[in-house]
Amino acid sequence: MVGRIGFRERVQNAINNQTYPFLKNKNEVKDGEIDQFYSVTKKVLGKSPVYAISQIGMAQNPLRKMIWLLILILGFLASFHEAYRFLKCFLKYPVVVNLHLEKERNLDFPAVTVCNLNRMKSIYQRCLVPNISLESCLHPGLTMTRTTLFMSERRGLQSCTTQLGGKIDKENEANFQFFMKYSSLSEDIRKEIGSRGKEFIKHCSFNGKLCSENDFLESQSLRYGNCFTFNQASLNVTKPLTVSETEYWSGLELNLELNYDDYLPLSSTVGARVNIHDPNVPPSPEEYGIDISSGFETSVAITQTQEIRLPSPYRDHCVNYSDEGPYRHSQGLCVRYCIQKINYKTCGCADPTLTSTTRLKTCNLTNANESCCLNEVLDRIFEDKAACDCPLPCVTTFYGEKVSVAKWPSEASFFKGNLTKSDYLRDVKHLRKSQAKLRVFYSTLIRKIYRQRKRFLESEIFSHIGGELGLWLGLTLMVIFEIFETSWYLIKYFINLHANHNGKLQCNQLYN
């Protein structure tokens, strides 16, 4: 039909007549969208709750925009720097220690371990003489052989350097042989030739009530022989005894029979070793304790102190030592077990003078290479080149000790009417040589508690970072949410605008 215009021509005419002006030119359309997006962004920034951003959005002067932009960047850098410093400090997990004093009506009494300074009766010294079997040694009626000996630590008796050259002191060599023979004995044999509880503990009273050797747990020490512990926690007794008074009659009183006539020549001091410790921790008289002398009454006034630590990741990385798990019994036993493992790994044998729960091949200390190797292991541990994973316990209870000594017994208290003066003086002198008296009691029922606490709580991360953002940028939690909302709005607007732009360009290409 003449004069009829088709649909395509009408659309083209409409475009040419600017019915759709936004499709006139590709570059013009793009420039218009940029201007529109810039205008919307400027309005949004001008209404921002962050003052620096709002000034950037409203400023007409480019220099003023740059100044406020610099201020905003500096604020971000300052806030991030302070937040980084806080997080760096927080991740070190610092602690603060609070001291708290508690007045108790009933305070747990400590465990008290006593050992005779003479580890072995002199009548059994023949057990350590070469070419005499233990069976014949323990059989009565044999002739006793005496040797002057001096007992010391392994490194004091025999060092690897003395074996490499020079002359060896004969007396020191004899002492070393004695020590080697004694340390090679089994615990059962050492128990048999040492002090017995019934003869060692002549008198016992606690809180004014009598006790006996049956109330003591026996243990073995390589240095002191048989030791006896009062109030030690065990499978049968898990709750320690308590006291409610602070005078000496409310604590433990012991009369110890030292049997000085049975002392070895190497035992230069007559007395007993006393170790006061936590009832839940095995005794360690070699490491901690005091020596009391015969012929004296030794009074030990104690105070209780507890240290409560925080577990990992805090600085002490403490653990709870128990009979189960990787950390057994106590930190001291853990260290000994660790040293023996390093000894065995490095030297192929364990130190026979270091008691532990391990059953490893022991070193021959007369062998220079093995003796030097054991010394090198200890040196490496002291220099922290071979660390032992034996952290501090989470709860440590220890006791402050104030010791006073008085001559005991007095002649007046020992006098008996049916004895002559010379007789009872002789008995007093004998008693003073052979016995020692011990009193252990609390001087106060106030317990000191040092408790570690977290310096920063987890919630303080948000409060500290929020404080820095508020100080440097004027940001709050609500403002941050608003910024996220505005950012999402601008992103969504830009995506929609870009999508409309592509669609209109395709339409323009189709009809051109």
Side-chain angles (χ1 to χ4, degrees), residues 33-34 36-37 40-41 486-504:
E33 289 178 352
I34 293 175
Q36 186 177 0
F37 181 75
V40 171
T41 304
T486 303
S487 302
W488 170 247
Y489 169 75
L490 289 176
I491 294 172
K492 187 177 180 181
Y493 178 81
F494 178 76
I495 292 174
N496 292 335
L497 189 65
H498 185 68
N500 292 336
H501 166 69
N502 291 336
K504 291 169 185 178

Side-chain angles (χ1 to χ4, degrees), residues 444-497:
T444 178
L445 295 182
I446 297 177
R447 175 170 53 190
K448 292 181 181 179
I449 300 179
Y450 293 92
R451 186 187 300 272
Q452 288 185 354
R453 296 189 183 276
K454 302 176 183 179
R455 183 175 179 182
F456 302 112
L457 299 176
E458 287 76 5
S459 59
E460 293 186 55
I461 297 178
F462 302 101
S463 62
H464 189 90
I465 294 177
E468 296 298 337
L469 293 176
L471 174 64
W472 297 100
L473 298 173
L475 293 179
T476 63
L477 185 61
M478 296 299 104
V479 171
I480 292 175
F481 286 151
E482 186 175 349
I483 290 175
F484 282 127
E485 182 183 16
T486 303
S487 302
W488 170 247
Y489 169 75
L490 289 176
I491 294 172
K492 187 177 180 181
Y493 178 81
F494 178 76
I495 292 174
N496 292 335
L497 189 65

Side-chain angles (χ1 to χ4, degrees), residues 118-187:
N118 183 52
R119 75 187 73 194
M120 185 183 73
K121 294 180 180 180
S122 60
I123 60 174
Y124 295 114
Q125 188 176 357
R126 60 181 178 273
C127 297
L128 307 181
V129 176
N131 303 323
I132 297 181
S133 65
L134 290 175
E135 290 76 10
S136 59
C137 164
L138 297 177
H139 192 274
L142 294 179
T143 303
M144 181 175 63
T145 305
R146 291 181 178 270
T147 306
T148 303
L149 300 172
F150 177 77
M151 182 57 58
S152 181
E153 297 294 330
R154 173 182 61 82
R155 298 180 74 167
L157 283 175
Q158 191 89 346
S159 66
C160 61
T161 56
T162 59
Q163 298 179 22
L164 298 178
K167 295 182 179 180
I168 301 176
D169 183 76
K170 293 183 178 180
E171 182 178 355
N172 190 60
E173 177 67 18
N175 296 342
F176 181 72
Q177 295 300 329
F178 164 84
F179 178 74
M180 286 293 297
K181 188 70 178 289
Y182 181 81
S183 62
S184 66
L185 299 177
S186 66
E187 288 192 8

Side-chain angles (χ1 to χ4, degrees), residues 75-86:
F76 269 113
L77 292 177
S79 60
F80 289 155
H81 174 70
E82 293 299 324
Y84 169 76
R85 287 182 57 194
F86 171 76

Side-chain angles (χ1 to χ4, degrees), residues 57-287:
M58 293 186 299
Q60 301 298 327
N61 189 340
L63 178 61
R64 192 164 182 268
K65 286 181 181 289
M66 293 299 298
I67 292 175
W68 279 108
L69 179 61
L70 179 62
I71 293 174
L72 179 64
I73 293 174
L74 291 177
F76 269 113
L77 292 177
S79 60
F80 289 155
H81 174 70
E82 293 299 324
Y84 169 76
R85 287 182 57 194
F86 171 76
L87 289 175
K88 185 178 180 181
C89 180
F90 179 85
L91 293 177
K92 291 181 180 179
Y93 299 100
V95 299
V96 292
V97 180
N98 295 335
L99 171 60
H100 182 61
L101 301 179
E102 288 186 355
K103 174 69 174 179
E104 301 286 349
R105 289 190 60 185
N106 296 289
L107 199 58
D108 291 343
F109 196 75
V112 179
T113 299
V114 290
C115 317
N116 198 326
L117 292 181
N118 183 52
R119 75 187 73 194
M120 185 183 73
K121 294 180 180 180
S122 60
I123 60 174
Y124 295 114
Q125 188 176 357
R126 60 181 178 273
C127 297
L128 307 181
V129 176
N131 303 323
I132 297 181
S133 65
L134 290 175
E135 290 76 10
S136 59
C137 164
L138 297 177
H139 192 274
L142 294 179
T143 303
M144 181 175 63
T145 305
R146 291 181 178 270
T147 306
T148 303
L149 300 172
F150 177 77
M151 182 57 58
S152 181
E153 297 294 330
R154 173 182 61 82
R155 298 180 74 167
L157 283 175
Q158 191 89 346
S159 66
C160 61
T161 56
T162 59
Q163 298 179 22
L164 298 178
K167 295 182 179 180
I168 301 176
D169 183 76
K170 293 183 178 180
E171 182 178 355
N172 190 60
E173 177 67 18
N175 296 342
F176 181 72
Q177 295 300 329
F178 164 84
F179 178 74
M180 286 293 297
K181 188 70 178 289
Y182 181 81
S183 62
S184 66
L185 299 177
S186 66
E187 288 192 8
D188 292 336
I189 296 297
R190 292 203 298 265
K191 178 180 178 181
E192 186 173 354
I193 64 179
S195 299
R196 304 295 180 86
K198 188 173 183 179
E199 60 186 27
F200 181 51
I201 302 170
K202 299 297 291 185
H203 169 77
C204 172
S205 68
F206 177 76
N207 258 347
K209 297 181 180 179
L210 292 176
C211 50
S212 67
E213 71 279 359
N214 297 326
D215 298 309
F216 290 75
L217 287 181
E218 186 173 351
S219 58
Q220 182 64 222
S221 168
L222 189 62
R223 183 179 299 180
Y224 298 107
N226 295 335
C227 295
F228 307 90
T229 304
F230 178 80
N231 198 34
Q232 175 74 58
S234 63
L235 297 177
N236 298 327
V237 180
T238 57
K239 189 175 181 180
L241 300 171
T242 60
V243 294
S244 57
E245 300 288 342
T246 58
E247 299 299 333
Y248 66 87
W249 57 77
S250 65
L252 178 66
E253 179 181 321
L254 296 176
N255 289 0
L256 303 177
E257 176 58 56
L258 304 174
N259 288 324
Y260 75 95
D261 291 332
D262 288 336
Y263 265 51
L264 293 171
L266 63 93
S267 301
S268 58
T269 305
V270 179
R273 182 74 168 178
V274 180
N275 176 213
I276 301 174
H277 56 95
D278 185 351
N280 298 305
V281 175
S284 54
E286 299 92 347
E287 301 172 13

Side-chain angles (χ1 to χ4, degrees), residues 365-435:
L365 299 183
T366 59
N367 184 296
N369 293 330
E370 294 183 358
S371 182
C372 287
C373 182
L374 294 178
N375 290 347
E376 290 174 1
V377 169
L378 290 179
D379 292 338
R380 288 175 56 197
I381 293 175
F382 291 149
E383 296 172 2
D384 291 332
K385 294 182 180 179
C388 287
D389 184 19
C390 296
L392 293 168
C394 290
V395 179
T396 301
T397 303
F398 57 93
Y399 303 88
E401 303 165 355
K402 290 184 178 180
V403 180
S404 58
V405 178
K407 200 168 184 179
W408 175 87
S410 66
E411 296 178 4
S413 65
F414 195 77
F415 176 74
K416 297 179 181 179
N418 57 347
L419 293 177
T420 64
K421 184 176 181 179
S422 60
D423 289 337
Y424 82 77
L425 286 179
R426 184 177 62 251
D427 292 344
V428 168
K429 291 180 180 179
H430 175 79
L431 186 64
R432 285 176 178 172
K433 287 182 178 180
S434 185
Q435 290 193 14

